[in-house]
Amino acid sequence: MVMDGTHATKQRLLDVGMALLLEHGYHGLGVQALLDAAQVPKGSFYHHFRDKEDFALQVVDEYMRNVHHGLDQCLNDTARPPLARVRRFFELTEENYRREGYLGCLLGGLGQELSGVNGTFRARIAECFTVISERTATCLEEARVRGDIPSDADPREMACLLVDCWEGAALRSRLRGDAEPLTSMLDFYFAASGARRQ
Amino acid sequence: MVMDGTHATKQRLLDVGMALLLEHGYHGLGVQALLDAAQVPKGSFYHHFRDKEDFALQVVDEYMRNVHHGLDQCLNDTARPPLARVRRFFELTEENYRREGYLGCLLGGLGQELSGVNGTFRARIAECFTVISERTATCLEEARVRGDIPSDADPREMACLLVDCWEGAALRSRLRGDAEPLTSMLDFYFAASGARRQ
DNA sequence: GTGGCACTAGACCGATCGGTCTATTCCAGT
DNA sequence: ACTGGAATAGACCGATCGGTCTAGTGCCAC
């Protein structure tokens, strides 16, 4: 087999691992449990990954590839006004959460669990949020110059806020097992951000 | 010794455990590590607590006692207008976070880590957020009848939103190690909630 | 066809996990 | 003074943890 990055066994570990990490958390997921679920022997795991931490970090990378795909899909859709594009991204994310049974966000979960003790995870996940926030900010800036939000607004700050509040709503959604915190958070945010058109 | 609820050894376990659970999370904190930190032998631990889960749930209870104390202190302060009381509670909470090195909120941490797998924790922590939200809502209702927020606003919904967004900001604060997400979230919320006076 | 390497396969390792057990200490009630 | 139970103390338990090691398999280059 070749290092084309799409090795089937490794990919299955990443996919199964993403779901299991979301459900059980990092310390709550044993390597053996992962291997049983993915039907992969231990030797393969330590062939493809240096250790459990390396594995989880690669799962985060995989998760971020999905996030960027969603951002590409929504934020570049110039047929819609920029604020609607931003909102659509989060509604698409909400749809993903629904499919997983409202278990919230993997970044939020791993961030909460590990950032108190593991600097590598802390930095990596902080970086993830920054990236999402930055991409959102450029779209908000577009809305600003267009006059859809107040001209003295700070798009970067607004984007930061949106991502932060979203993560809080995602946690509450995980606790309740439904979408209500997510939708009402979006309603509040877009009503309050001073949108002049839809 | 008597069952006055203030047994020194048990209290030390709860206090040390609260700090360690916040830092390491539930699965990241071994019973032995807790015992070493609290200078308590294992026999005492299993005398006072049925098992590790019972211990963590009692730590949550202890945490909520602190929260209620803060709520009592802030929300009943009739010298201030009700919106200012609500804001003061969260600013006091922010101050507590600062003292702990910006590790965020224990409820958020345990909720994220465990709610995917443990129904007892899920329900307990969801209940905690509901309680905090309800107490906040009564204060917001006071603000509503007073005319400080729009008369058609729903205080319970607004309180829910505030708590949710706060938790998100607390997570980001934990990741960054500073207070900025907390303060700017409060600024946004109280500016957007339609306050007519300070 | 064969040598070499990526990958699979799982037995095995010491350490640590949460939890139990027995022994002992300490103090209150009598 | 004695005694019963609360509390302390830590050795000990099987299970599971993350991780290593060796053996075997299959495939591609030559």
Side-chain angles (χ1 to χ4, degrees), chain A residues 70 73-74 87-97:
Chain A
Q73 197 173 321
C74 298
R87 175 151 194 158
R88 181 152 165 270
F89 168 70
F90 285 96
E91 283 167 351
L92 180 138
T93 304
E94 175 184 322
E95 181 63 18
N96 290 336
Y97 290 177

Side-chain angles (χ1 to χ4, degrees), chain A residues 24-72:
Chain A
H24 295 93
Y26 182 80
H27 287 119
L29 175 63
V31 173
Q32 193 55 56
L34 166 68
L35 299 176
D36 292 346
Q39 298 269 60
V40 166
K42 191 166 272 193
S44 299
F45 180 87
Y46 284 96
H47 172 75
H48 292 292
F49 305 100
R50 191 181 342 106
D51 53 24
K52 190 188 177 188
E53 177 174 324
D54 176 47
F55 166 72
L57 287 168
Q58 291 201 40
V59 168
V60 169
D61 289 343
E62 173 88 353
Y63 188 87
M64 282 305 288
R65 274 192 290 277
N66 297 344
V67 169
H68 273 113
H69 177 75
L71 286 167
D72 292 340

Side-chain angles (χ1 to χ4, degrees), chain A residues 161 163-168, chain B residues 97 104 163-175 178-186:
Chain A
L161 202 68
V163 171
D164 291 357
C165 292
W166 176 261
E167 284 299 317
Chain B
Y97 290 177
V163 171
D164 291 357
C165 291
W166 176 261
E167 284 299 317
L171 164 58
R172 192 65 171 274
S173 161
R174 180 176 166 104
L175 287 168
D178 63 42
E180 196 275 338
L182 302 168
T183 57
S184 70
M185 187 264 137
L186 287 183

Side-chain angles (χ1 to χ4, degrees), chain B:
Chain B
M1 197 61 58
V2 190
M3 38 216 53
D4 56 1
T6 62
H7 194 282
T9 300
K10 178 171 182 178
Q11 192 60 47
R12 191 164 68 253
L13 284 168
L14 289 175
D15 291 341
V16 173
M18 195 180 302
L20 290 180
L21 281 175
L22 182 61
E23 185 179 353
H24 296 94
Y26 182 80
H27 288 119
L29 175 63
V31 173
Q32 193 56 55
L34 166 68
L35 299 175
D36 293 346
Q39 297 270 62
V40 166
K42 191 166 270 194
S44 298
F45 180 88
Y46 284 96
H47 173 74
H48 292 292
F49 305 100
R50 190 183 339 108
D51 53 24
K52 189 188 179 189
E53 176 174 326
D54 176 47
F55 167 73
L57 287 168
Q58 290 200 41
V59 168
V60 169
D61 289 344
E62 174 89 352
Y63 188 87
M64 282 304 288
R65 275 192 289 277
N66 297 345
V67 169
H68 274 112
H69 177 75
L71 286 166
D72 292 338
Q73 197 174 320
C74 298
L75 265 42
N76 300 333
D77 176 14
T78 49
R80 300 166 188 260
L83 272 188
R85 291 178 231 162
V86 171
R87 177 152 193 159
R88 182 152 165 268
F89 168 70
F90 285 96
E91 284 168 349
L92 179 139
T93 304
E94 176 184 322
E95 181 63 17
N96 290 335
Y97 290 177
R98 190 191 59 77
R99 267 197 300 272
E100 295 154 349
Y102 297 115
L103 291 174
C105 171
L106 181 67
L107 301 177
L110 295 181
Q112 277 278 23
E113 181 179 355
L114 299 171
S115 64
V117 127
N118 185 311
T120 306
F121 271 101
R122 209 209 87 260
R124 175 73 61 98
I125 291 174
E127 170 68 14
C128 290
F129 285 134
T130 299
V131 164
I132 297 170
S133 178
E134 289 296 329
R135 290 198 61 178
T136 305
T138 68
C139 208
L140 290 180
E141 167 63 12
E142 207 176 318
R144 193 188 64 83
V145 303
R146 219 166 161 279
D148 292 347
I149 56 177
S151 61
D152 62 342
D154 179 345
R156 302 176 87 244
E157 201 176 315
M158 283 182 62
C160 236
L161 202 68
L162 174 54
V163 171
D164 291 357
C165 291
W166 176 261
E167 284 299 317
L171 164 58
R172 192 65 171 274
S173 161
R174 180 176 166 104
L175 287 168
R176 300 180 28 148
D178 63 42
E180 196 275 338
L182 302 168
T183 57
S184 70
M185 187 264 137
L186 287 183
D187 286 345
F188 173 76
Y189 180 85
F190 285 100
S193 60
R196 304 223 173 90
R197 353 195 165 187
Q198 69 227 14

Side-chain angles (χ1 to χ4, degrees), chain A residues 94-143:
Chain A
E94 175 184 322
E95 181 63 18
N96 290 336
Y97 290 177
R98 190 190 60 75
R99 267 198 299 273
E100 296 155 347
Y102 295 116
L103 291 175
C105 171
L106 182 68
L107 302 176
L110 295 180
Q112 277 278 22
E113 181 179 355
L114 299 171
S115 64
V117 128
N118 185 311
T120 306
F121 272 102
R122 209 209 88 260
R124 175 74 60 97
I125 290 174
E127 169 68 13
C128 290
F129 284 134
T130 300
V131 164
I132 297 171
S133 177
E134 289 297 329
R135 291 199 58 178
T136 304
T138 68
C139 208
L140 290 181
E141 166 64 11
E142 206 176 315

Side-chain angles (χ1 to χ4, degrees), chain A residues 78 83 108 169 190:
Chain A
T78 50
L83 272 187
F190 284 100

